[in-house]
Short mmCIF file of all heavy atoms in Angstrom, two decimals:
data_model
loop_
_atom_site.label_atom_id
_atom_site.label_comp_id
_atom_site.label_asym_id
_atom_site.label_seq_id
_atom_site.Cartn_x
_atom_site.Cartn_y
_atom_site.Cartn_z
N SER X 64 -16.14 2.95 54.27
CA SER X 64 -17.52 3.25 54.64
C SER X 64 -17.51 3.94 56.00
O SER X 64 -18.32 4.78 56.31
CB SER X 64 -18.31 1.95 54.72
OG SER X 64 -17.60 1.06 55.56
N ASN X 65 -16.53 3.58 56.82
CA ASN X 65 -16.51 4.07 58.19
C ASN X 65 -15.12 4.60 58.47
O ASN X 65 -14.28 3.90 59.03
CB ASN X 65 -16.85 2.90 59.12
CG ASN X 65 -17.22 3.41 60.48
OD1 ASN X 65 -16.87 4.54 60.82
ND2 ASN X 65 -17.90 2.60 61.25
N PRO X 66 -14.85 5.85 58.05
CA PRO X 66 -13.46 6.32 57.99
C PRO X 66 -12.77 6.28 59.34
O PRO X 66 -13.39 6.44 60.38
CB PRO X 66 -13.61 7.76 57.51
CG PRO X 66 -15.00 8.14 57.86
CD PRO X 66 -15.80 6.89 57.75
N ARG X 67 -11.47 6.05 59.29
CA ARG X 67 -10.69 6.00 60.52
C ARG X 67 -10.29 7.41 60.92
O ARG X 67 -10.38 8.35 60.15
CB ARG X 67 -9.45 5.15 60.30
CG ARG X 67 -9.71 3.69 60.56
CD ARG X 67 -8.46 2.92 60.33
NE ARG X 67 -8.43 2.43 58.96
CZ ARG X 67 -7.37 1.81 58.44
NH1 ARG X 67 -6.28 1.65 59.17
NH2 ARG X 67 -7.38 1.37 57.20
N GLN X 68 -9.83 7.54 62.15
CA GLN X 68 -9.48 8.87 62.65
C GLN X 68 -7.98 9.03 62.74
O GLN X 68 -7.24 8.06 62.80
CB GLN X 68 -10.11 9.08 64.02
CG GLN X 68 -11.61 9.12 63.95
CD GLN X 68 -12.23 9.40 65.30
OE1 GLN X 68 -11.82 8.83 66.29
NE2 GLN X 68 -13.23 10.27 65.32
N LEU X 69 -7.55 10.26 62.72
CA LEU X 69 -6.15 10.61 62.91
C LEU X 69 -6.03 11.39 64.20
O LEU X 69 -6.71 12.39 64.38
CB LEU X 69 -5.68 11.50 61.77
CG LEU X 69 -5.38 10.86 60.42
CD1 LEU X 69 -5.44 11.91 59.35
CD2 LEU X 69 -4.02 10.22 60.45
N LEU X 70 -5.18 10.92 65.11
CA LEU X 70 -5.01 11.65 66.36
C LEU X 70 -3.57 12.14 66.46
O LEU X 70 -2.68 11.35 66.79
CB LEU X 70 -5.36 10.77 67.55
CG LEU X 70 -6.85 10.53 67.78
CD1 LEU X 70 -7.40 9.53 66.79
CD2 LEU X 70 -7.08 10.04 69.20
N PRO X 71 -3.31 13.39 66.17
CA PRO X 71 -1.95 13.90 66.23
C PRO X 71 -1.50 14.11 67.68
O PRO X 71 -2.31 14.00 68.61
CB PRO X 71 -2.04 15.23 65.50
CG PRO X 71 -3.44 15.65 65.68
CD PRO X 71 -4.26 14.40 65.75
N TYR X 72 -0.23 14.41 67.83
CA TYR X 72 0.27 14.77 69.16
C TYR X 72 -0.43 16.02 69.66
O TYR X 72 -0.95 16.81 68.88
CB TYR X 72 1.76 15.11 69.10
CG TYR X 72 2.67 13.98 68.77
CD1 TYR X 72 3.41 14.01 67.61
CD2 TYR X 72 2.81 12.91 69.63
CE1 TYR X 72 4.27 12.98 67.29
CE2 TYR X 72 3.67 11.89 69.32
CZ TYR X 72 4.40 11.92 68.15
OH TYR X 72 5.25 10.91 67.86
N VAL X 73 -0.37 16.21 70.97
CA VAL X 73 -0.67 17.53 71.49
C VAL X 73 0.63 18.33 71.51
O VAL X 73 0.72 19.43 70.99
CB VAL X 73 -1.29 17.43 72.89
CG1 VAL X 73 -1.48 18.83 73.46
CG2 VAL X 73 -2.62 16.71 72.82
N ARG X 74 1.68 17.70 72.07
CA ARG X 74 3.02 18.30 71.99
C ARG X 74 3.96 17.24 71.44
O ARG X 74 4.00 16.13 71.96
CB ARG X 74 3.50 18.76 73.36
CG ARG X 74 2.66 19.84 73.97
CD ARG X 74 3.21 20.20 75.35
NE ARG X 74 2.27 21.05 76.07
CZ ARG X 74 1.14 20.59 76.63
NH1 ARG X 74 0.86 19.30 76.55
NH2 ARG X 74 0.32 21.40 77.26
N GLU X 75 4.70 17.55 70.42
CA GLU X 75 5.61 16.55 69.86
C GLU X 75 6.84 16.41 70.75
O GLU X 75 7.52 17.40 71.00
CB GLU X 75 6.06 16.98 68.46
CG GLU X 75 5.03 16.67 67.40
CD GLU X 75 5.47 17.15 66.03
OE1 GLU X 75 6.55 16.73 65.59
OE2 GLU X 75 4.74 17.96 65.43
N PRO X 76 7.11 15.19 71.22
CA PRO X 76 8.37 15.01 71.95
C PRO X 76 9.54 15.10 70.99
O PRO X 76 9.42 14.84 69.80
CB PRO X 76 8.24 13.60 72.52
CG PRO X 76 7.25 12.93 71.64
CD PRO X 76 6.33 13.98 71.10
N GLU X 77 10.71 15.51 71.53
CA GLU X 77 11.90 15.59 70.67
C GLU X 77 12.27 14.21 70.16
O GLU X 77 11.88 13.19 70.71
CB GLU X 77 13.12 16.09 71.49
CG GLU X 77 13.01 17.51 71.98
CD GLU X 77 14.19 17.80 72.92
OE1 GLU X 77 15.33 17.75 72.42
OE2 GLU X 77 13.96 17.98 74.12
N ASN X 78 13.04 14.19 69.10
CA ASN X 78 13.73 12.98 68.63
C ASN X 78 12.82 11.82 68.33
O ASN X 78 13.29 10.70 68.20
CB ASN X 78 14.75 12.49 69.68
CG ASN X 78 15.86 13.49 69.80
OD1 ASN X 78 15.63 14.67 69.56
ND2 ASN X 78 17.04 13.03 70.14
N VAL X 79 11.51 12.03 68.30
CA VAL X 79 10.63 10.93 67.90
C VAL X 79 10.13 11.24 66.51
O VAL X 79 9.35 12.15 66.32
CB VAL X 79 9.45 10.77 68.86
CG1 VAL X 79 8.55 9.64 68.39
CG2 VAL X 79 9.97 10.49 70.25
N VAL X 80 10.65 10.49 65.52
CA VAL X 80 10.14 10.63 64.16
C VAL X 80 9.15 9.50 63.94
O VAL X 80 9.52 8.33 64.01
CB VAL X 80 11.27 10.51 63.13
CG1 VAL X 80 10.71 10.68 61.73
CG2 VAL X 80 12.34 11.55 63.41
N PRO X 81 7.89 9.82 63.73
CA PRO X 81 6.91 8.75 63.56
C PRO X 81 7.38 7.79 62.46
O PRO X 81 7.79 8.24 61.39
CB PRO X 81 5.63 9.48 63.15
CG PRO X 81 6.02 10.88 62.86
CD PRO X 81 7.28 11.15 63.60
N GLY X 82 7.39 6.50 62.76
CA GLY X 82 7.76 5.53 61.74
C GLY X 82 9.21 5.12 61.79
O GLY X 82 9.64 4.24 61.06
N HIS X 83 9.99 5.74 62.66
CA HIS X 83 11.39 5.33 62.77
C HIS X 83 11.58 4.41 63.96
O HIS X 83 11.03 4.65 65.03
CB HIS X 83 12.30 6.55 62.93
CG HIS X 83 12.56 7.24 61.63
ND1 HIS X 83 13.60 8.11 61.43
CD2 HIS X 83 11.91 7.17 60.44
CE1 HIS X 83 13.58 8.55 60.19
NE2 HIS X 83 12.56 8.01 59.57
N ASP X 84 12.39 3.38 63.79
CA ASP X 84 12.75 2.51 64.91
C ASP X 84 13.65 3.25 65.86
O ASP X 84 14.47 4.06 65.44
CB ASP X 84 13.50 1.27 64.40
CG ASP X 84 12.53 0.27 63.79
OD1 ASP X 84 11.32 0.49 63.92
OD2 ASP X 84 12.99 -0.71 63.19
#
Side-chain angles (χ1 to χ4, degrees):
Chain X
S64 52
N65 196 339
R67 273 180 267 174
Q68 294 183 316
L69 283 159
L70 285 76
Y72 294 116
V73 175
R74 296 179 191 76
E75 280 178 57
E77 294 173 63
N78 293 28
V79 179
V80 181
H83 281 198
D84 282 352

